Amino acid sequence: MLDFSVVLKNAPALLEGAMMTLGISLFSIALGFIGGGLLCLARISAKPWLVGIARVYISALRGTPLLVQLAIVFYFLPLLGLSLEPVSAAIITLAMNTSAFQAEILRGGFQTLARGQNEAAWTIGLGWWKTLRYIQMPQVVRKTLPSLVNETIDIIKNSALISTIAVTDLMRIAQTYSSTTYRPLEFFITAGLMYLLMTSAVAVVGRWVERRMSY
């Protein structure tokens, strides 16, 4: 028989773990958006060496498991003298991972823009930066918002892997209490529902932002 009373007794710890999960995920997504934007600009650059570097980086991060990336950042970098706390390692790894995916999402958005926009903007005196900031990026973000929201949801779900490097996130808390109370099913069901609640909230906010941007 399922007994969720043990879950209720440890609800504050689970909520704290959920807040850790959400905070790390959203911070990583924000950093990844900046990195992804820069990678996207490099990827669509006219300079072959920039395109090459961006392509290799994106392929490496998209083509290897997140768990492997976590292990490399957390265990290998200290061998080079770069020791990181678990939370810092988790944020860096998640940000690096999502930056590669967001770069390709944004690149797809740029490819949908009319080719004559740059020439039109330069004709009226806008430089490269102002054209990017005021004309291109608003359109790209609006076009790619659903995909960016999906990437955010994926990062929240995949963040469960950061428990493997001793981050006290939701999954780590659930694992700890399931082993001490011998009630793994109750704690993992609860954790799954909490992940579902977080990702559903992100989806709702994303749809609201999408509607606002469509006006």
Side-chain angles (χ1 to χ4, degrees), residues 24-177:
I24 288 176
S25 299
L26 295 181
F27 191 42
S28 299
I29 279 288
L31 291 178
F33 181 78
I34 297 172
L38 295 175
L39 282 169
C40 173
L41 294 178
R43 187 72 174 78
I44 63 177
S45 169
K47 299 179 180 180
W49 65 273
L50 272 179
V51 175
I53 292 174
R55 183 177 293 171
V56 169
Y57 178 93
I58 291 170
S59 296
L61 271 296
R62 295 178 72 198
T64 55
L66 178 59
L67 185 58
V68 173
Q69 296 166 20
L70 279 166
I72 291 174
V73 171
F74 188 65
Y75 295 112
F76 180 71
L77 289 185
L79 299 179
L80 303 178
L82 300 174
S83 182
L84 296 173
E85 294 294 325
V87 171
S88 299
I91 291 173
I92 290 172
T93 307
L94 290 175
M96 290 173 58
N97 179 272
T98 189
S99 68
F101 287 91
Q102 291 192 63
E104 288 299 280
I105 291 172
L106 294 173
R107 186 169 72 92
F110 274 101
Q111 290 177 336
T112 66
L113 299 180
R115 293 186 176 182
Q117 287 191 3
N118 286 348
E119 290 79 2
W122 294 338
T123 299
I124 62 175
L126 293 179
W128 174 83
W129 169 246
K130 288 186 177 180
T131 301
L132 177 67
R133 179 180 177 184
Y134 296 111
I135 296 179
Q136 294 180 322
M137 279 306 295
Q139 295 180 75
V140 169
V141 171
R142 184 167 60 250
K143 290 173 181 290
T144 61
L145 185 60
S147 296
L148 293 173
V149 171
N150 286 338
E151 175 61 16
T152 302
I153 290 173
D154 284 342
I155 284 295
I156 292 175
K157 293 187 297 182
N158 291 336
S159 70
L161 292 173
I162 66 178
S163 63
T164 60
I165 59 171
V167 177
T168 54
D169 66 328
L170 175 57
M171 181 56 67
R172 183 78 172 187
I173 296 296
Q175 289 171 335
T176 300
Y177 282 107

Side-chain angles (χ1 to χ4, degrees), residues 21-22 26 149-150 152-157 191-209 211:
T21 291
L22 192 60
L26 295 181
V149 171
N150 286 338
T152 302
I153 290 173
D154 284 342
I155 284 295
I156 292 175
K157 293 187 297 182
L193 291 173
M194 294 176 79
Y195 277 109
L196 178 61
L197 181 61
M198 288 187 284
T199 55
S200 298
V202 169
V204 169
V205 172
R207 287 194 293 269
W208 178 81
V209 173
R211 286 196 300 268

